């Protein structure tokens, strides 16, 4: 049975199939291949594989020459970077066949089904990195004169009358506040070393701090997976990321919601859950195991006007917010090789942290 006489059967397979000629032109694809590449057969046929896949080393001229010699090509768990920005893990098998005295190659792409496929918006990520670099440079420029200003205020205070002292106290206090703010932008001054830690222990340490002044109207629920392994990473940075995200939920639940004024009692909830996710692709990196931490709250949701710039520093939905919390959290999670995803609508917001587990077998 030839390719041309079996299209109906092949289109019913979940296995993505592509037929290319010796010039690497796509001659035919089945429905599964259309779905995998994200384009219709009308767009794909007549083009080359390289037009749609950035790293299709299996379609190189060397591989094609080898196949035409009667050999086969197989590759397990090849990470394909599609030009659409999507990443997908596949097992590749290529074989040669002839039809109407012409030689063709049949490419089989069998997706390795991951527990999660975490897409990273490269445009947003690039904007975030540029903003962080700009803020870092700006902070360095501010820090030196700020120290001189504080020192001058301390010297001046020794020559003032008691009635004038409050003015220098204000200068010193505000200089300290600005310095603290700059340290949050720049991160820790000393390099942080990787350590082994239990994710639940860090969450509980964060909650010990949060619950010291937590309103009685806010309830925190825990939903942990006790079987999760320890993680190798930057403990202090992850602590700060979790602290910022949970505080963000607390602040969201502290906002007065006009829609709830008629309710006698509002159940304000923060739910923390941990899970294992197998076969996770974060950006273009595949991890056999990743830990997922969900931070859910039933607050009013992220305001529409800041949804497109939620992680940009100085953008905040809080009245007195600095807009640094989420930006710092994101940088800390990326430092671990992870990513933060979020979903929000009125009465439900969830931030999810994905942390790859290194050297997992």
């Amino acid at each position: 049975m030839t390719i041309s006489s079996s299209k109906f059967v092949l289109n019913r397979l979940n296995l993505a199939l592509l037929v290319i000629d010796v010039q690497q032109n796509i001659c035919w694809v089945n429905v599964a291949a259309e779905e995998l590449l994200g384009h219709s057969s009308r767009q794909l046929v007549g083009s080359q594989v390289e037009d749609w896949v950035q790293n299709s080393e299996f379609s190189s001229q060397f591989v094609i020459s080898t196949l035409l010699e009667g050999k086969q090509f197989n590759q397990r768990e090849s990470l394909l970077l599609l030009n659409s920005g999507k990443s997908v893990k596949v097992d590749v098998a290529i074989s040669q066949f002839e039809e109407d005295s012409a030689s063709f190659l049949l490419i089989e792409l069998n997706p390795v089904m991951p527990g999660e496929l975490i897409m990273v918006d490269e445009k947003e990520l690039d904007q975030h990195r540029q903003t962080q670099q700009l803020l870092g440079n700006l902070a360095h420029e501010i820090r030196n004169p700020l120290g001189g200003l504080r020192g001058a205020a301390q010297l001046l205070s020794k020559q003032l009358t008691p009635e004038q002292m409050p003015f220098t106290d204000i200068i010193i206090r505000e200089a300290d506040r600005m310095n603290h703010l700059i340290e949050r932008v720049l991160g820790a001054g000393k390099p942080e070393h990787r350590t082994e830690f239990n994710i639940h222990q860090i969450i509980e340490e964060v909650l010990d701090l949060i619950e010291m002044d937590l309103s009685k109207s806010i309830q925190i629920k825990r939903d942990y997976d006790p079987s999760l392994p320890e993680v190798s990473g930057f403990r202090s940075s992850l602590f700060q990321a979790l602290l910022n995200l949970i505080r963000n939920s607390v602040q969201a639940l502290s906002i007065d919601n006009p829609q709830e004024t008629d309710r006698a009692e509002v159940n304000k909830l923060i739910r923390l859950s941990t899970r294992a996710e197998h076969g996770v692709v974060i950006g273009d990196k595949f991890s056999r195991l990743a830990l997922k931490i969900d931070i859910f709250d039933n607050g009013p949701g992220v305001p529409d006007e800041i949804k497109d710039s939620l992680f940009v520093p100085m953008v905040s939905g809080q009245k007195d917010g600095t807009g640094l919390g989420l930006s710092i959290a994101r940088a800390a999670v990326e430092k671990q090789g992870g990513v933060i995803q979020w979903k929000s609508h009125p009465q439900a917001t969830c931030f999810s942290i994905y942390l790859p587990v290194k050297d997992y077998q």
Side-chain angles (χ1 to χ4, degrees):
M1 183 170 59
T2 64
I3 292 291
S4 59
S5 64
S6 59
K7 290 182 180 178
F8 176 78
V9 175
L10 297 175
N11 274 326
R12 297 176 66 86
L13 296 177
N14 292 326
L15 182 68
L17 301 175
L18 300 89
V19 175
I20 66 172
D21 59 21
V22 292
Q23 284 78 38
Q24 304 186 44
N25 297 313
I26 299 176
C27 303
W28 178 84
V29 297
N30 69 347
V31 173
E34 291 179 299
E35 294 177 351
L36 179 69
L37 298 177
H39 295 278
S40 68
S41 61
R42 182 176 299 179
Q43 295 171 299
L44 295 169
V45 172
S47 64
Q48 295 194 328
V49 177
E50 298 291 344
D51 295 333
W52 311 103
V53 183
Q54 295 180 19
N55 64 334
S56 56
E57 64 272 14
F58 54 80
S59 67
S60 67
Q61 190 60 52
F62 171 77
V63 173
I64 291 176
S65 299
T66 302
L67 288 164
L68 293 178
E69 293 174 1
K71 300 178 181 179
Q72 289 191 337
F73 176 87
N74 294 279
Q75 188 175 62
R76 294 293 304 275
E77 296 188 352
S78 176
L79 182 63
L80 301 187
L81 303 178
L82 307 185
N83 288 346
S84 63
K86 179 181 178 182
S87 303
V88 62
K89 203 82 170 178
V90 296
D91 291 336
V92 181
I94 308 179
S95 56
Q96 184 263 348
F97 71 96
E98 293 187 359
E99 184 173 320
D100 298 331
S101 300
S103 294
F104 297 90
L105 298 178
L106 176 63
I107 302 177
E108 304 175 30
L109 303 177
N110 187 19
V112 180
M113 297 304 293
E116 292 281 348
L117 184 61
I118 311 302
M119 302 305 298
V120 177
D121 189 326
E122 292 298 330
K123 182 179 179 181
E124 180 185 344
L125 187 59
D126 185 59
Q127 180 189 44
H128 170 69
R129 288 170 177 165
Q130 290 182 20
T131 306
Q132 287 293 99
Q133 184 177 5
L134 176 63
L135 282 175
N137 293 337
L138 181 61
H140 278 298
E141 292 297 323
I142 295 174
R143 205 168 189 179
N144 288 335
L146 194 62
L149 181 66
R150 188 186 192 282
Q154 287 179 315
L155 291 174
L156 183 61
S157 66
K158 297 178 181 180
Q159 303 176 23
L160 298 179
T161 63
E163 292 78 14
Q164 296 171 320
M165 288 287 290
F167 297 106
T168 53
D169 289 344
I170 291 174
I171 295 174
I172 293 171
R173 185 181 70 242
E174 289 303 298
D176 289 341
R177 187 181 68 83
M178 290 299 298
N179 190 60
H180 177 65
L181 185 63
I182 290 169
E183 287 180 350
R184 291 174 61 191
V185 174
L186 293 176
K190 297 181 180 179
E192 189 176 0
H193 300 289
R194 283 187 174 273
T195 58
E196 296 281 337
F197 54 81
N198 181 286
I199 191 63
H200 299 132
Q201 183 178 355
I202 295 183
I203 295 175
E204 288 302 312
E205 289 177 7
V206 171
L207 292 180
D208 286 342
L209 190 59
I210 291 288
E211 291 175 333
M212 289 180 63
D213 56 353
L214 186 68
S215 169
K216 293 182 179 180
S217 64
I218 298 177
Q219 182 182 10
I220 294 181
K221 287 189 176 181
R222 298 160 171 84
D223 181 15
Y224 298 160
D225 180 352
S227 68
L228 296 184
E230 289 196 340
V231 182
S232 174
F234 304 104
R235 195 182 194 283
S236 179
S237 293
L238 187 58
F239 178 95
Q240 187 64 51
L242 288 166
L243 179 62
N244 290 358
L245 289 170
I246 298 173
R247 273 181 174 167
N248 192 70
S249 289
V250 172
Q251 291 169 355
L253 291 172
S254 301
I255 297 175
D256 293 330
N257 189 347
Q259 298 177 355
E260 297 176 342
T261 54
D262 296 334
R263 294 172 56 181
E265 183 178 352
V266 178
N267 295 318
K268 297 181 179 181
L269 172 67
I270 296 175
R271 184 174 64 246
L272 302 170
S273 64
T274 60
R275 293 292 184 271
E277 297 288 344
H278 294 274
V280 173
V281 179
I282 300 178
D284 61 350
K285 295 183 180 179
F286 176 79
S287 297
R288 294 186 179 276
L289 178 69
L291 306 189
K292 181 183 180 185
I293 308 166
D294 283 339
I295 301 160
F296 168 89
D297 69 71
N298 61 352
V302 177
D304 291 337
E305 61 269 19
I306 67 169
K307 283 185 175 180
D308 293 335
S309 55
L310 189 59
F311 290 93
V312 175
M314 307 304 175
V315 174
S316 176
Q318 311 296 335
K319 182 179 179 181
D320 299 320
T322 63
L324 292 174
L326 291 181
S327 178
I328 292 171
R330 179 175 182 172
V333 171
E334 288 177 358
K335 185 178 179 181
Q336 313 274 339
V339 68
I340 297 178
Q341 300 280 288
W342 66 278
K343 296 179 181 178
S344 181
H345 56 81
Q347 308 308 317
T349 297
C350 183
F351 285 87
S352 299
I353 297 176
Y354 293 83
L355 298 175
V357 178
K358 306 287 185 182
D359 304 322
Y360 175 77
Q361 303 295 328

